[in-house]
Amino acid sequence: MTINTLLVDFACASILILIGMFLRAKIRFIQRSFVPASLLAGFLGLALGPGFLDILPLSEHIGSYAGVITILVFAAVGINGFSFSPGNMKKDLNRMGAYAIYKILGIALQVAIPIIFAIIVISKFIPEINYGFGLLLAAGFYGGHGTAAAIGTTFENLGWANATDLGMTAATGGMLIGIFGGLIFIKWATRKGYTQYVKDFSEISEDLKTGLVKPENRTSMGKDTVSPIALDPLAFHVALLVVPAGLGYLLNNYIAETWNLEFPTFTIAFIIALLMYIVLGRGKKGIYKYVDSKIVDRIGSSATDYLVFFGVASIQLPVVREYWFPLTLLMLSGLVVVVVTLVIIGPGMNYESWFERSIFVYGYSTGVFAIGLTLLRVIDPNNKSKTLTDTAIVGPLNTPLELFAWSAGPIMLMTGQHWAFVSIYLAIVIACFVIARIFKWWYWKIPLEDRPPVPLDKDE
């Protein structure tokens, strides 16, 4: 592969992404479906690329880009550190505590149940199925295309070919389930009167439908924290992400060559980025005050859009056709998990604005954070439910569970420790229910129509 090959591949990707954006802005059905432009572009790339019609000059290397872009995405998460505010935690302990347990329970169920289903049920139909097959569901649904690429690469390094294609297919299916299923549940909730801030689905803003923001609604994507005379602010933030991404790759290679140990590169990059966050410091003497988290988020989100494109466009259709039956069963098991988490556990563990919180978790548990954010904005455009605020505070509690699943999961599942791995997450599920009962965070007996919205602060 040459640098010109890379240029042409990304040029083709960019053209299709822009076409996807144009389709989103002009076609009513796509607007009503809230399908992201990058996903539309991915399907176009899959149809027009070398795997099908072979019209576009996409190279055979497009399948390798997703794994590299994933490293950058996780570096962006690490460099932004953890948002934690003890003052707010103390003020709204019950609301955020219940929400934290709900989020932890969501990922634990999505990791454990599909793996058990794959081992006990799917293996009866296909005895040769890999025991790591079930983890691809959580990697694709909860983790999205980035995690699916990372997990797939790890599995392939451990000797399981085709894992990346299956993970990407699960991620694509999860995103569609998140978008279309989320809209169906929103319409259901508005009819039932469960939504607190939007009572009619037709109230959705035009900006959300078309994806084009009107001038009066536009916001800044970040601030200039360094002078362009010295270094362009965007280049400054890009460098902050590329450094841990590159160092993570080099360090992981060194570990593999020196100690013969295999770790996911994205995990190493995340840790290095997090250490950079700690070393940079956030106080008056720290230099983190020159890092704009909004710009970092935008870079990470931009990388994710290209990751979605290359992930979908590079799916090997023959592999999908070969695994269509077990993959269908696996995604059905995942669909059951997320629906139960939304409809049954959601109102049980969320007292105030239960549906707004539950649909947000449903969205990012089936695709990416952006899907959850889109669904939340449909019914809570001004974050009156404080779902995003609480997510910023309790979100880091999920990180260890995710990192363990993505890092240790493939190794344990491929080396005969599958039941030990599943037992860990089943224990977490049980612990969540026990904690919810101890702290009285289980509200199922309270009628849904009696649930109040989150009380607004005085300044709101």
Side-chain angles (χ1 to χ4, degrees):
M1 182 177 70
T2 66
I3 192 66
N4 291 329
T5 303
L6 183 70
L7 175 63
V8 172
D9 285 343
F10 273 84
C12 290
S14 300
I15 291 171
L16 293 180
I17 287 174
L18 291 175
I19 292 175
M21 188 64 204
F22 175 80
L23 295 175
R24 170 68 182 267
K26 295 297 182 180
I27 300 178
R28 290 292 180 184
F29 168 74
I30 297 177
Q31 292 175 12
R32 291 194 298 268
S33 304
F34 289 90
V35 179
S38 57
L39 186 59
L40 289 172
F43 286 129
L44 290 174
L46 181 62
L48 302 175
F52 194 58
L53 297 178
D54 199 17
I55 295 174
L56 291 176
L58 290 168
S59 73
E60 69 275 13
H61 302 289
I62 60 172
S64 63
Y65 295 149
V68 176
I69 298 174
T70 301
I71 302 172
L72 190 66
V73 172
F74 275 82
V77 176
I79 205 69
N80 262 346
F82 292 156
S83 299
F84 182 77
S85 175
N88 287 339
M89 181 68 81
K90 183 177 181 180
K91 177 183 176 183
D92 300 316
L93 178 62
N94 284 333
R95 186 185 78 239
M96 287 187 288
Y99 181 56
I101 292 299
Y102 176 62
K103 289 174 79 275
I104 292 172
L105 180 64
I107 183 175
L109 283 171
Q110 197 173 122
V111 170
I113 300 303
I115 294 177
I116 295 174
F117 184 77
I119 294 174
I120 295 178
V121 179
I122 296 180
S123 64
K124 299 299 181 184
F125 297 97
I126 306 174
E128 68 274 11
I129 200 74
N130 193 295
Y131 278 175
F133 187 70
L135 185 61
L136 294 179
L137 189 284
F141 273 34
Y142 194 94
H145 287 83
T147 303
I151 292 284
T153 301
T154 303
F155 272 127
E156 289 179 356
N157 291 338
L158 293 170
W160 180 20
N162 303 326
T164 300
D165 291 309
L166 296 174
M168 288 298 185
T169 304
T172 303
M175 187 173 285
L176 293 174
I177 289 172
I179 295 168
F180 292 105
L183 294 176
I184 291 172
F185 280 116
I186 286 175
K187 291 180 180 180
W188 165 76
T190 54
R191 288 198 303 268
K192 289 286 188 178
Y194 296 151
T195 55
Q196 299 286 348
Y197 311 102
V198 172
K199 298 302 181 182
D200 190 341
F201 193 76
S202 63
E203 295 178 19
I204 300 170
S205 70
E206 195 68 17
D207 290 356
L208 282 177
K209 292 178 181 177
T210 64
L212 301 176
V213 181
K214 297 177 181 178
E216 62 270 21
N217 297 332
R218 294 172 185 172
T219 58
S220 173
M221 65 177 287
K223 297 179 180 179
D224 290 349
T225 58
V226 297
S227 173
I229 297 176
L231 179 65
D232 186 86
L234 184 58
F236 172 72
H237 287 83
V238 169
L240 286 174
L241 302 187
V242 175
V243 166
L247 289 179
Y249 174 78
L250 293 174
L251 180 58
N252 202 28
N253 280 353
Y254 175 79
I255 293 173
E257 294 173 0
T258 305
W259 293 291
N260 197 30
L261 295 175
E262 289 284 349
F263 293 102
T265 301
F266 71 90
T267 302
I268 306 296
F270 171 83
I271 294 172
I272 293 175
L274 189 59
L275 290 175
M276 287 177 59
Y277 166 82
I278 296 171
V279 172
L280 290 173
R282 294 183 62 98
K284 291 184 178 180
K285 295 183 179 180
I287 65 171
Y288 193 85
K289 58 179 174 287
Y290 298 109
V291 179
D292 190 310
S293 60
K294 290 179 66 176
I295 294 180
V296 173
D297 286 339
R298 294 278 64 79
I299 297 173
S301 295
S302 299
T304 300
D305 279 327
Y306 279 92
L307 189 152
V308 169
F309 170 80
F310 285 115
V312 175
S314 63
I315 290 174
Q316 298 297 313
L317 294 178
V319 175
V320 177
R321 284 196 295 267
E322 180 184 351
Y323 283 86
W324 74 269
F325 181 62
L327 202 54
T328 301
L329 291 178
L330 183 68
M331 286 200 280
L332 285 175
S333 72
L335 177 60
V336 170
V337 170
V338 294
V339 170
V340 168
T341 304
L342 168 65
V343 177
I344 298 178
I345 303 177
M349 284 191 175
N350 292 290
Y351 177 55
E352 300 168 336
S353 303
W354 76 266
F355 183 77
E356 286 76 8
R357 293 170 179 274
S358 300
I359 197 66
F360 172 71
V361 173
Y362 170 89
Y364 79 70
S365 294
T366 51
V368 292
F369 185 86
I371 300 300
L373 185 59
T374 297
L375 295 176
L376 178 64
R377 282 179 175 171
V378 170
I379 55 173
D380 182 17
N382 298 314
N383 191 33
K384 291 182 180 179
S385 67
K386 298 187 178 180
T387 300
L388 295 181
T389 306
D390 292 352
T391 299
I393 296 172
V394 305
L397 298 177
N398 275 32
T399 302
L401 302 183
E402 295 176 43
L403 285 178
F404 184 80
W406 313 147
S407 303
I411 298 172
M412 295 182 70
L413 292 171
M414 293 285 283
T415 56
Q417 304 176 68
H418 43 280
W419 289 122
F421 178 74
V422 168
S423 298
I424 292 172
Y425 284 87
L426 286 179
I428 294 172
V429 170
I430 296 172
C432 286
F433 281 111
V434 171
I435 293 172
R437 294 304 297 266
I438 291 175
F439 287 94
K440 298 180 180 180
W441 291 338
W442 184 250
Y443 306 109
W444 185 247
K445 292 184 179 180
I446 301 175
L448 298 180
E449 57 271 18
D450 294 340
R451 307 288 181 89
V454 174
L456 299 181
D457 295 333
K458 292 182 179 180
D459 58 352
E460 296 183 87

